[in-house]
Amino acid sequence: MQVTVEVVGEETREVEVGDGGTYADVVRAVDLSPHEVSVLVDGAPVPEDQPVESSELKVLRLIKGG
């Protein structure tokens, strides 16, 4: 499944998620750690271990260095 991932305030990328892929897998595919982000589908957070069911999602970084 092709998933459009918007990293809020940074970039939007397309990633491929295999059958049974989780939201944590999507986060890793955009080079982030599931421990430093929240994944939002239709504006609501989803558990990182839940299978991907949406083709569009937002990743909100909770910790940002600088």
Side-chain angles (χ1 to χ4, degrees), residues 8-53:
V8 176
E10 294 182 32
E11 65 179 333
T12 299
R13 292 177 49 184
E14 299 283 329
V15 298
E16 182 69 29
V17 179
D19 291 339
T22 65
Y23 289 106
D25 296 329
V26 172
V27 169
R28 287 186 197 97
V30 294
D31 299 323
L32 295 171
S33 168
H35 301 289
E36 64 181 282
V37 302
S38 285
V39 178
L40 306 174
V41 175
D42 296 326
V46 293
E48 65 185 48
D49 60 350
Q50 181 176 330
V52 176
E53 298 175 348

